[in-house]
Amino acid sequence: MGYAVIGAAGLAGLLLLAEHLCGIRLMEWNNTAFCLGFAASIIGVAYILTIKNPNNYLGFYGGIVMSLLLAGQFVLNRQYDLVVLYLCVFIPFLIRSIVVWKKGEDNGLQPAWLQPKALWLTIIAAMLIVVADYALNTCVIYRDAWSDHCLLKLMSAMLICSSTIANYWLIYKKTDAWIWWVTYAAVGIVFYAILPIPNVFLIVLNIIFLLVNGSALLAWRKLC
């Protein structure tokens, strides 16, 4: 509960500051999709701050709630591929994380870096995910040429790739997962900045997540 309050106060404060500095309205309380996304963002900050402690798996319950809220937001925005991703991939990963971290209380599961073989397999998997998502964007979503909107489609693919891998390796307390979360936030800043109509709210939100994820990475590095 404490982390949720911190997340809510911090997120709202930074967004209000950004509104003042940018001179534009960021928070659209009359938009149901925005409200779902805002609630998910608060819970997301609390989720990260909780699992920053590798002995506290309770944050994953918040992660499940966050994923359900985001799935609702994506339904309203007609982003059905992301609905499937959150419901069929991320939530099962989060449930699995709860199970593994609970067992870790008994067998001493501690944060660790990936071994070289697993690291290279992860890099190869990341490349395949990026290529597959780029092809999906080109052939199904945008229906344009491979060279059209290339940066936008590449950043979109990187968002899917980094979040998928980060969620997976968090299950096994691999510190590398936080590198992928940092990558996700950094790519998110670029992605929402290069949209035809830049989304300042999500740019600010990803800056916040970049800082929070970075602090979690540093915390876990000290335990390896």
Side-chain angles (χ1 to χ4, degrees), residues 129-144:
I129 293 172
V130 168
V131 170
D133 193 74
Y134 192 99
L136 176 66
N137 278 313
T138 299
C139 301
V140 178
I141 297 176
Y142 289 100
R143 296 183 180 181
D144 57 6

Side-chain angles (χ1 to χ4, degrees), residues 8 10 20 26 45 55 74 91 93 104 122 127 130 142 145 152 154-155 163 167 169 174 176-177 180 200 207 211 214:
H20 175 72
L26 299 180
V45 172
N55 296 313
F74 294 137
I91 288 181
F93 280 178
T122 299
M127 294 172 64
V130 168
Y142 289 100
L152 191 66
L154 180 60
M155 292 297 100
S163 57
N167 272 294
W169 282 124
K174 297 303 180 183
D176 306 68
W180 290 98
V200 181
I207 291 173
L211 297 174

Side-chain angles (χ1 to χ4, degrees), residues 72-115:
Q73 180 191 39
F74 294 137
V75 167
L76 294 174
N77 290 335
R78 301 180 184 275
Q79 296 173 286
Y80 299 116
D81 54 336
L82 293 178
V83 175
V84 173
L85 183 70
Y86 272 83
L87 294 182
C88 300
V89 179
F90 291 164
I91 288 181
F93 280 178
L94 290 164
I95 294 172
R96 179 62 179 165
S97 295
I98 293 171
V99 173
V100 172
W101 282 37
K102 274 188 176 181
K103 290 181 178 179
E105 293 177 335
D106 300 322
N107 60 28
L109 181 64
Q110 294 294 324
W113 295 100
L114 290 173
Q115 296 300 308

Side-chain angles (χ1 to χ4, degrees), residues 6 17 32 51 81 88 91 96 112 148 150 200:
I6 292 172
L17 177 62
T32 303
I51 64 171
D81 54 336
C88 300
I91 288 181
R96 179 62 179 165
D148 291 341
C150 56
V200 181

Side-chain angles (χ1 to χ4, degrees), residues 134 137 142 148-157 190-192 194-196:
Y134 192 99
N137 278 313
Y142 289 100
D148 291 341
H149 308 101
C150 56
L151 182 58
L152 191 66
K153 291 186 289 189
L154 180 60
M155 292 297 100
S156 175
V190 176
F191 177 76
Y192 293 112
I194 64 174
L195 289 175

